[in-house]
């Protein structure tokens, strides 16, 4: 059986594998590969390679760094179907969705191509007589990225292209559940001309992550994953002196006002709730209907759910694939059972799917709950599966209060034809990313992505300007060239004349 191993100093790590995990094809339920789990010593080897590569790379010209990114972008374009195939085989998402993921990752690489412009400082002449000041941004050093299973190509690409373009070297610890895409992309970056050691990939679990968090040579950590782990990463990393940005879980609400175009809202809710089997941090998991909106919306949702084609991601007719692992499937199914026991109305029950050829795959058909209340577990917990809950609220103000009382604040959307209501909503809602008649408002690469409250630990969001900021440190230089006119000792505080 194939073993996926680490990528250190520009090549696969060849030492014997001591600990390994299993990677599944979620459509068949079969083990497709083994993945090495890094020991602390193997993490140390990756960090040492990144540290050795740092001086040369940090001092390389902006033109060279941009050129590597341009070449990488071309290689990604040429290989994107192959990367998407890898994603489908390990994550389970359907081919079109996998390709969309790669395209969104490429957009971050395109952003990183602009590094000469992005990293520019400021200059002021004559801040005092004959004294000039300028600001520069410099790389922070060796940076680590720890990423989740749900976007195995895109989320790492939120991090390493920008970090590397800024002159840092990088150690990536991708999800152990779908590890192949990271190695493939590391190979492409080598082919694009990236020197060995600038990007390293270590696979594994908590052992690898803990070594990263404690390693004295790692200056900064970017994390994306669930909230309890994000909090742990932030607290442990910062207590070891590292700069940390840790993006956590989500419970995204979509408010539907009674004046909305219900057909449009129904289409949007179906795509946002069940796309990628609900395994998106920006998936809509709660529909907050105001007034009588639910009575009109629910029949439309049911009609659409029944037509959805669920099947292996490799099958071009499938619109929704399986969940990532059996453990995750069982957790999601258990939460649906819980919702029924707590008294929510399960109007579409996807718990017994009949998938031809996928009898052993990790499939669940879309589930739709009505009459969900804020005390229920299915409302409070992030489900991360194809389960949509409808919470009925009498007024707009009740909808806003509900959202504000939720611990998460990643994404939110409002559907309405009332421009005034939409404007009021985008202004007052306390959530990081807001959609107006857009169900999944993911910012483009040149804006920054991230939530508020329990969806983010740290101060900076990823990519865009905040990404460049996170991966660089500011410095201000004040200079005066010697001039005989200024001879003589002066103990006074400088007066700016
Ligand atoms: P996860 O938290 O289980 O794992 C994320 C990473 O942390 C993986 O690399 C994993 O190996 C590592 N990890 C897991 N347990 C650990 C532990 N005990 N100690 C140290 N490291 C550990 O998340 P997941 O299941 O892979 O991904 C789904 C979660 O990610 C969801 O909660 C989703 O909302 C979230 N997510 C958030 C965003 C965002 O932008 N906010 C984006 C994508 C996914």
């Amino acid at each position: 059986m194939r073993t996926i191993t680490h990528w250190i100093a520009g090549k696969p790590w060849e030492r014997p594998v001591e600990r390994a995990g299993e990677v599944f094809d979620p459509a068949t339920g079969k083990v497709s590969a083994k993945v090495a789990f890094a020991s602390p010593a193997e993490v140390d080897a990756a960090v040492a390679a990144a540290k050795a590569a740092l001086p040369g790379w940090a001092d390389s010209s902006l033109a060279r760094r941009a050129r590597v990114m341009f070449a990488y972008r071309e290689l990604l374009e040429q290989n994107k179907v192959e990367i998407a195939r890898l994603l489908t085989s390990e994550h389970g998402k359907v081919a079109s969705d996998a390709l969309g993921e790669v395209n969104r990752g490429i957009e971050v690489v395109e952003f990183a191509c602009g590094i000469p412009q992005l990293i520019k400082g400021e200059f002021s002449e004559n801040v005092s007589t004959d004294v000039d000041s300028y600001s520069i941004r410099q790389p922070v050093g060796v940076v680590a990225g720890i990423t989740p299973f749900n976007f195995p190509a895109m989320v790492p690409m939120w991090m390493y292209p920008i970090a590397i373009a800024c002159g840092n070297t990088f150690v990536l610890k991708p999800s152990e559940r779908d590890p192949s895409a990271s190695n493939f992309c590391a190979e492409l970056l080598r082919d694009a001309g990236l020197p060995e050691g600038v990007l390293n990939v270590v696979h594994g679990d908590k052992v690898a992550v803990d070594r990263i968090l404690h390693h004295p040579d790692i200056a900064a950590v970017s994390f994306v994953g669930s909230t309890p782990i994000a909090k742990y990463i932030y607290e442990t990393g910062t207590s070891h002196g590292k700069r940390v940005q840790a993006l956590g879980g989500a419970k995204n609400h979509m408010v539907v006002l009674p004046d909305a175009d219900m057909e449009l809202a129904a289409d949007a809710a179906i795509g946002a709730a069940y796309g990628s089997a609900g395994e998106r941090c920006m998936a809509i998991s709660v529909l907050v209907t105001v007034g009588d909106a639910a009575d009109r919306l629910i029949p439309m949702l049911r009609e659409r759910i029944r037509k959805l084609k669920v099947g292996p991601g490799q099958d071009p007719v499938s619109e929704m694939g399986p969940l990532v692992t059996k453990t995750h499937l069982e957790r999601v199914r258990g939460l649906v059972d819980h919702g029924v026991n707590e008294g929510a109305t399960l109007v579409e029950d996807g718990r017994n799917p009949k998938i031809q050829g996928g009898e052993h795959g990790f499939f669940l058909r879309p589930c739709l709950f009505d009459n969900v209340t804020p005390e229920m577990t299915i409302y409070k917990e992030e489900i991360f599966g194809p389960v949509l809950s409808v919470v009925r609220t009498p007024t707009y103000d009740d909808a806003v209060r509900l959202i504000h009382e939720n611990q998460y604040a990643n994404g939110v959307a409002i559907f309405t034809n009332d421009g005034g209501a939409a404007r009021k909503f985008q202004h007052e809602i306390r959530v990081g990313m807001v959609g107006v008649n857009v169900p999944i408002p993911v910012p483009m690469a040149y804006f920054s992505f991230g939530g508020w409250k329990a969806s983010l630990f740290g101060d900076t969001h990823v990519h865009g300007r905040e990404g460049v900021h996170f991966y660089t440190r500011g410095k201000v230089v004040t200079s005066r060239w010697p001039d005989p006119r200024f001879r003589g000792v002066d103990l006074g505080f400088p007066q700016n004349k």
Side-chain angles (χ1 to χ4, degrees):
M1 177 163 296
R2 184 171 65 103
T3 300
I4 300 154
T5 184
H6 320 300
W7 177 270
I8 298 177
K11 52 185 178 303
W13 183 247
E14 280 165 355
R15 308 267 171 88
V17 174
E18 285 168 19
R19 252 177 4 109
E22 289 177 326
V23 179
F24 291 89
D25 175 351
T28 61
K30 290 193 181 131
V31 177
S32 61
K34 289 200 175 290
V35 57
F37 277 8
S39 63
E42 287 169 322
V43 173
D44 289 354
V47 177
K51 192 179 177 188
L54 183 64
W57 184 247
D59 284 344
S60 63
S61 71
L62 290 171
R64 180 176 176 205
R65 289 187 233 155
R67 227 173 275 137
V68 169
M69 285 299 146
F70 275 109
Y72 182 44
R73 189 224 168 262
E74 286 313 297
L75 290 173
L76 286 170
E77 264 309 313
Q78 288 162 23
N79 290 279
K80 65 185 183 185
V81 174
E82 176 57 14
I83 300 171
R85 193 192 60 76
L86 285 175
L87 302 184
T88 297
S89 68
E90 293 180 352
H91 174 283
K93 61 178 72 181
V94 299
S96 57
D97 193 36
L99 199 57
E101 169 179 350
V102 182
N103 282 328
R104 296 310 299 259
I106 291 175
E107 286 165 10
V108 184
V109 177
E110 288 167 348
F111 174 74
C113 289
I115 194 65
Q117 181 67 23
L118 294 169
I119 210 164
K120 261 187 182 170
E122 293 176 318
F123 188 98
S124 289
E125 193 183 42
N126 271 344
V127 292
S128 184
T129 311
D130 288 342
V131 177
D132 303 326
S133 271
Y134 54 96
S135 66
I136 50 182
R137 298 208 70 86
Q138 297 185 324
V140 292
V142 177
V143 175
I146 302 160
T147 54
F149 81 84
N150 66 320
F151 286 108
M154 182 187 78
V155 169
M157 281 196 242
W158 285 353
M159 303 172 181
Y160 67 79
I162 300 177
I164 288 173
C166 287
N168 302 283
T169 57
F170 205 91
V171 176
L172 172 65
K173 206 303 280 173
S175 171
E176 63 277 31
R177 289 182 254 179
D178 37 25
S180 292
S182 293
N183 283 29
F184 189 77
C185 289
E187 263 184 79
L188 293 183
L189 250 175
R190 177 204 54 195
D191 297 348
L194 192 74
E196 67 179 46
V198 177
L199 174 65
N200 307 276
V201 182
V202 288
H203 297 288
D205 55 2
K206 182 171 166 56
V207 172
V209 171
D210 282 344
R211 183 58 190 145
I212 287 171
L213 295 175
H214 292 91
H215 202 297
D217 291 334
I218 292 180
V221 177
S222 295
F223 172 87
V224 176
S226 59
T227 286
I229 310 296
K231 188 164 185 284
Y232 169 73
I233 301 278
Y234 183 77
E235 287 171 355
T236 314
T238 50
S239 73
H240 286 82
K242 301 179 197 321
R243 183 182 282 201
V244 181
Q245 54 176 184
L247 282 71
K251 194 85 185 171
N252 305 311
H253 299 73
M254 172 171 151
V255 177
V256 183
L257 298 188
D259 77 312
D261 180 326
M262 290 299 159
E263 296 282 348
L264 274 184
D267 287 344
I270 294 288
Y274 303 122
S276 202
E279 293 170 326
R280 289 180 180 144
C281 62
M282 289 292 276
I284 291 295
S285 52
V286 185
L287 263 185
V288 190
T289 54
V290 175
D292 69 349
D295 295 334
R296 287 178 286 146
L297 200 54
I298 286 177
M300 293 178 192
L301 295 172
R302 297 188 73 176
E303 185 195 325
R304 285 162 174 77
I305 287 172
R306 286 173 186 180
K307 286 186 192 149
L308 280 184
K309 296 189 185 69
V310 179
Q314 292 85 350
D315 184 342
V317 304
S318 301
E319 293 170 293
M320 189 184 112
L323 295 177
V324 66
T325 57
K326 189 160 191 251
T327 315
H328 188 51
L329 170 69
E330 281 166 0
R331 177 180 173 275
V332 175
R333 212 163 25 200
L335 280 162
V336 176
D337 295 343
H338 211 70
V340 174
N341 295 338
E342 283 183 319
T345 316
L346 186 58
V347 291
E348 284 297 326
D349 184 354
R351 288 176 292 178
N352 293 301
K354 308 262 176 299
I355 312 289
Q356 219 181 354
E359 291 77 9
H360 303 290
F362 311 138
F363 289 99
L364 188 68
R365 277 195 63 85
C367 297
L368 177 66
F369 276 111
D370 192 5
N371 300 312
V372 175
T373 58
E375 309 74 48
M376 291 179 182
T377 311
I378 52 166
Y379 175 76
K380 286 191 289 198
E381 281 200 19
E382 180 182 38
I383 300 177
F384 222 57
V387 183
L388 179 62
S389 297
V390 176
V391 178
R392 295 172 179 244
T393 55
T395 67
Y396 165 89
D397 287 338
D398 295 313
V400 169
R401 193 172 316 114
L402 179 83
I403 295 165
H404 285 169
E405 283 170 3
N406 196 281
Q407 63 160 325
Y408 298 107
N410 209 41
V412 73
I414 187 164
F415 275 67
T416 178
N417 282 323
D418 180 341
R423 190 179 180 283
K424 180 171 156 60
F425 183 79
Q426 59 85 19
H427 176 72
E428 71 187 354
I429 204 73
R430 296 196 285 271
V431 176
M433 292 169 281
V434 183
V436 175
N437 297 319
V438 171
I440 303 193
V442 173
M444 295 296 285
Y446 39 88
F447 286 96
S448 298
F449 178 109
W452 292 6
K453 291 159 68 179
S455 297
L456 175 81
F457 299 85
D459 308 310
T460 17
H461 290 177
V462 291
H463 62 65
R465 288 225 158 267
E466 293 190 41
V468 175
H469 208 269
F470 182 77
Y471 295 124
T472 52
R473 256 193 288 249
K475 188 185 269 183
V476 180
V477 181
T478 303
S479 74
R480 176 164 68 193
W481 288 98
D483 184 325
R485 284 178 300 155
F486 298 108
R487 286 236 171 87
V489 176
D490 181 358
L491 297 191
F493 202 76
Q495 305 278 331
N496 292 325
K497 291 184 184 136

